[in-house]
């Protein structure tokens, strides 16, 4: 009797299981080829159930393939959603409004509204995750933007946010006012161990996923960058963040700034324009990644009047090409991150095109924007199209490993199993 009862119950459970699985969203994505985060595969398909990838491989290896809703993506390459490593969702291009005026004249409310548009543009361009490195005077607006995206109020990428970021007292702008004028700054200034520790804790407490510090900056207008924080200040901020399971990233362009940041234990160096073979070797040794932000320099030089293509490279571009080449030769992890916001949100592809132009293989660029960024940015379950991973998936026209400019043509965007674009 007991056995019979159990078997009926088992049957009912199986029936219930079958009913629930059959009403789950099951999608089969059928492109020309799949870039899974590592390499390119012809005639692969990717199956998605709810918000998870359940299969990635040749179609004949998928069981019950006809139970899925098929989406044909002819002429495309399917790949993991782009992970942008360095954005400012609360900034817009400096040739529209100078950085100083954005910080001084645009309220956090206006900047939030602009941020809503930027978040949507990013997602539609295939960016399903963004590491946002500083609100640049807009306080914790990035935290609130992230919340509204996570709550499904507005469309946008998954955000990792830094909050206001931290600078050394006197080192950051806007500048040029007499000392009686109180000026809102682009980041929070601190001096000394105690203030530095307190500010890291405050920012984490207010929702920062990571801490951004500026270890060098130009102290006066037109001057070259010089180190800002003392080693003990950097050490204290890193120790405070890592104690809480967070990490620190450093804006750094000088050799000494980079050296202090690396020795202090930051995880990524942002920009690294003045990097030498020796400093990149130290980064490699200490497992610190470089986020080169090539597109920011390329954009700002053009804002200053450089006519790219018709005029020779400026000194800054020559130096950037040189240091990026040294970084590639050193074997450091290269994070894909363009400092988008300096140039229009949704044009994240600019960084990829420049990475190729400056000497990186297209397939390596695609890896940087997906699996490498997922690893370096601690994004478990993202960046690769494999079983059990989250369904952040895009399709671009053609084959971007042959022509990186194809990254401009994003036809399909799925984030967390939800389709946002299917042109
Ligand atoms: Zn930046």
């Amino acid at each position: 009797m007991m056995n019979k009862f159990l078997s009926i119950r088992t049957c009912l459970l199986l029936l219930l299981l079958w009913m629930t699985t059959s009403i789950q969203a099951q999608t089969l994505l059928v492109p020309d080829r799949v870039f899974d985060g590592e390499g390119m595969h012809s005639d692969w398909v990717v199956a998605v159930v709810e918000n998870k990838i359940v299969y990635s491989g040749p179609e004949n290896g998928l069981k019950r393939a006809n139970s899925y809703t098929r989406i044909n993506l002819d002429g495309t390459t399917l790949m993991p959603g782009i992970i942008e490593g360095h954005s400012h969702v609360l900034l817009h291009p400096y040739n529209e409004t100078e950085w100083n005026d954005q910080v001084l004249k645009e309220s956090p409310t206006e900047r939030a509204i602009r941020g809503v548009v930027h978040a949507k543009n990013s997602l539609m361009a295939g960016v399903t995750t963004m590491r946002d490195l500083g609100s640049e005077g807009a306080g914790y607006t990035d935290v609130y933007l992230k919340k509204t995206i996570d709550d499904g109020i507005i469309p946008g990428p998954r955000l990792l946010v830094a909050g206001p970021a931290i600078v050394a007292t006197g080192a950051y702008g806007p500048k040029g006012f007499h000392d009686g004028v109180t000026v809102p700054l682009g980041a929070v200034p601190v001096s000394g161990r105690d203030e530095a520790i307190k500010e890291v804790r405050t920012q984490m407490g207010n929702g920062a996923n990571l801490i951004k510090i500026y270890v060098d900056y130009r102290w006066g207008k037109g001057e070259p960058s010089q180190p800002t924080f003392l080693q003990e200040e950097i050490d204290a901020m890193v120790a405070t963040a890592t104690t809480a399971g967070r990490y620190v990233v450093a804006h750094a362009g000088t050799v000494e700034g980079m050296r202090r940041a690396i020795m202090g234990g930051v995880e990524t160096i942002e920009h690294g324009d003045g990097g030498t073979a020796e400093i990149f070797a130290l980064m490699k040794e200490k497992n610190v990644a470089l986020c080169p932000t090539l597109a920011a320099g390329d954009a700002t030089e053009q804002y200053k009047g450089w006519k790219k293509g018709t005029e020779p490279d400026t000194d800054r571009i020559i130096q950037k090409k040189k240091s990026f080449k040294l970084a590639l030769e050193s074997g450091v992890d290269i994070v894909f991150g363009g400092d988008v916001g300096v140039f229009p949100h949704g044009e994240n592809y600019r960084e990829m095109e420049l990475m190729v132009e400056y000497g990186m293989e297209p397939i390596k660029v695609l890896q940087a924007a997906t699996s490498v960024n997922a690893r370096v940015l601690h994004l478990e379950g993202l960046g690769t199209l494999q079983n059990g991973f989250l369904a952040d998936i895009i399709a671009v026209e053609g084959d971007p490993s042959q022509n990186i400019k194809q990254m401009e043509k994003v036809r399909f965007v799925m984030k967390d199993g939800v389709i946002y674009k299917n042109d």
Side-chain angles (χ1 to χ4, degrees), residues 86-88 91 94 133 136 212 214 251 270-271 293 339-340 342:
H86 188 141
S87 69
H88 296 281
L91 287 176
Y94 300 168
L133 296 187
E136 306 284 342
K212 159 97 175 279
Y214 288 70
H251 164 112
E270 306 302 312
H271 315 300
T293 69
D339 216 351
V340 62
V342 173

Side-chain angles (χ1 to χ4, degrees), residues 14 99 147 154 207 215 269 368 383 393 402 404 409:
L14 283 172
W99 181 86
K147 180 174 183 292
I154 59 166
V215 300
I269 296 282
I393 305 170
Q402 299 301 313
I404 199 71
K409 296 167 191 158

Side-chain angles (χ1 to χ4, degrees), residues 164-222:
I166 303 174
V167 292
T169 307
Y172 207 51
K175 278 195 170 186
F177 302 87
H178 74 72
D179 70 336
V181 181
T182 306
V183 178
L185 293 177
V188 177
V190 300
S191 280
R193 247 182 84 86
D194 291 353
E195 273 186 33
I197 289 171
K198 189 175 180 190
E199 187 56 30
V200 169
R201 288 182 178 149
T202 301
Q203 297 197 2
M204 294 188 301
N206 283 339
N209 303 118
L210 59 117
I211 297 298
K212 159 97 175 279
I213 63 174
Y214 288 70
V215 300
D216 53 30
Y217 212 71
R218 49 184 184 275
W219 285 87
K221 203 172 180 225

Side-chain angles (χ1 to χ4, degrees), residues 94-339:
Y94 300 168
N95 61 340
E96 294 172 11
T97 308
E98 282 182 21
W99 181 86
N100 271 16
D101 284 346
Q102 294 190 41
V103 176
L104 295 172
K105 296 178 181 171
E106 293 177 357
S107 69
T109 310
E110 175 182 345
R111 296 183 64 188
I113 294 166
R114 289 177 178 276
V116 170
V117 177
H118 299 157
K120 185 181 179 187
N121 291 348
S122 308
L123 183 62
M124 293 309 158
V127 177
T128 50
T129 303
M130 288 209 302
R131 185 175 70 159
D132 206 67
L133 296 187
S135 68
E136 306 284 342
Y140 290 93
T141 305
D142 54 352
V143 172
Y144 312 134
L145 212 51
K146 174 187 165 73
K147 180 174 183 292
T148 51
I149 292 169
D150 290 347
D151 289 350
I153 310 297
I154 59 166
R158 301 169 191 277
L159 292 182
L160 293 172
V161 296
I166 303 174
V167 292
T169 307
Y172 207 51
K175 278 195 170 186
F177 302 87
H178 74 72
D179 70 336
V181 181
T182 306
V183 178
L185 293 177
V188 177
V190 300
S191 280
R193 247 182 84 86
D194 291 353
E195 273 186 33
I197 289 171
K198 189 175 180 190
E199 187 56 30
V200 169
R201 288 182 178 149
T202 301
Q203 297 197 2
M204 294 188 301
N206 283 339
N209 303 118
L210 59 117
I211 297 298
K212 159 97 175 279
I213 63 174
Y214 288 70
V215 300
D216 53 30
Y217 212 71
R218 49 184 184 275
W219 285 87
K221 203 172 180 225
E223 287 181 18
S225 283
Q226 299 282 357
T228 54
F229 289 119
L230 303 176
Q231 189 69 56
E232 63 171 18
E233 292 171 315
I234 298 171
D235 294 351
M237 289 189 282
V238 172
T240 308
T242 52
T243 293
R246 306 287 204 274
Y247 67 96
V248 178
V249 310
H251 164 112
T254 65
V255 169
E256 179 57 17
M258 289 170 75
R259 195 186 63 75
R260 289 184 195 179
I262 297 160
M263 297 315 289
V266 309
E267 295 209 355
T268 64
I269 296 282
E270 306 302 312
H271 315 300
D273 290 28
T276 57
E278 292 72 28
I279 209 75
F280 289 129
L282 184 64
M283 283 176 72
K284 172 85 180 158
E285 185 195 323
K286 302 286 182 189
N287 200 23
V288 177
L290 175 73
C291 181
T293 69
L294 308 176
D298 179 79
T300 50
E301 289 300 275
Q302 291 184 69
Y303 298 159
K304 286 183 203 157
W306 174 48
K307 293 190 176 50
K308 189 181 179 179
T310 57
E311 287 177 6
D313 288 348
T314 64
D315 290 348
R316 186 175 172 191
I317 299 291
I318 291 166
Q319 170 59 31
K320 191 68 191 174
K321 284 183 174 173
K322 191 176 131 199
S323 64
F324 185 63
K325 188 165 171 281
L326 290 172
L328 289 177
E329 287 166 2
S330 75
V332 292
D333 278 327
I334 304 283
V335 165
F336 161 75
D339 216 351

